Amino acid sequence: CMTAHGSEELFPVVDPDGNEISMAPRSLCHDGLSMLLHPVVHLHLFNERGEIYLQLRAKTKDLLPGYWDTSVGGHMDPGEIPEEALRREALEELGLKDFTFRLIDKYIWKSMRERELVYSFTGSSAHIPVINHDEIDDGRFWPVEEISGNLGKNIFTPNFEYEFRRFIFPNLHP
């Protein structure tokens, strides 16, 4: 979402309930100082075998390049609702037009660089994801056992590990 002048991307700034209160440039939201709360969407995409699709973050990403992450993840645009953002990001990143999904929960994620209001979804599709190489280096379906056996080994993003433990397999105690 570039502004009309082709300058920096603007993010909505929200309160903890997700109500949009203002807008701010991407750089300010990610500067590690402002900690402006901005909304993002995550999708955990499952296939018929119960495996989860993960994307390998591009080496060019400013945050956590080269880590495996949620199937789809992206910032919401100003005025956008989470479901619209999820559909847009799924199409942009994985070429998915036809998939079913439901909201699991929303929560605040704080890192050294930013604070995000994360809308976490789970879903499935009969279609094979086709990755957008401008955004993602690789992608594949992972058996749940393979994910759980590799937690805490600097393979996955901390945010994905948190969601996996909290939402996907809350009874898992590695």
Side-chain angles (χ1 to χ4, degrees):
C1 163
M2 294 298 194
T3 59
H5 304 291
S7 60
E8 197 179 346
E9 188 176 5
L10 286 178
F11 291 164
V13 176
V14 297
D15 67 18
D17 293 322
N19 302 304
E20 199 169 312
I21 49 179
S22 67
M23 289 187 286
R26 176 188 196 103
S27 60
L28 184 61
C29 290
H30 287 178
D31 70 2
L33 299 170
S34 73
M35 291 297 175
L36 292 171
L37 187 63
H38 57 285
V40 299
V41 291
H42 288 173
L43 174 66
H44 300 280
L45 185 72
F46 287 83
N47 64 14
E48 68 283 352
R49 291 187 302 281
E51 298 169 329
I52 306 174
Y53 192 87
L54 298 182
Q55 61 161 275
L56 184 62
R57 294 177 62 81
K59 305 248 183 317
T60 53
K61 291 275 189 190
D62 57 340
L63 295 173
L64 298 164
Y67 279 77
W68 288 92
D69 203 355
T70 50
S71 315
V72 170
H75 292 92
M76 287 173 53
D77 288 339
E80 201 171 33
I81 63 168
E83 292 76 12
E84 291 170 338
L86 188 71
R87 288 185 189 283
R88 177 180 51 76
E89 289 288 343
L91 185 59
E92 262 174 40
E93 295 183 356
L94 302 183
L96 283 182
K97 289 188 186 89
D98 187 22
F99 65 105
T100 59
F101 61 87
R102 69 177 176 82
L103 180 67
I104 306 170
D105 203 359
K106 70 176 195 254
Y107 66 94
I108 294 175
W109 177 258
K110 187 174 190 238
S111 73
M112 298 294 285
R113 294 274 302 273
E114 62 180 338
R115 268 182 43 205
E116 294 177 330
L117 180 63
V118 182
Y119 290 87
S120 185
F121 292 86
T122 183
S124 62
S125 177
H127 300 277
I128 302 296
V130 179
I131 63 172
N132 175 352
H133 284 282
D134 292 337
E135 303 237 350
I136 301 166
D137 280 355
D138 198 1
R140 69 174 174 92
F141 282 100
W142 291 62
V144 169
E145 303 75 31
E146 187 181 359
I147 294 171
S148 58
N150 282 293
L151 293 173
K153 295 183 180 174
N154 275 330
I155 293 171
F156 310 115
T157 64
N159 204 174
F160 169 75
E161 289 199 4
Y162 172 82
E163 288 191 29
F164 184 83
R165 286 187 169 107
R166 178 169 171 192
F167 302 134
I168 311 301
F169 282 92
N171 301 325
L172 189 71
H173 298 290

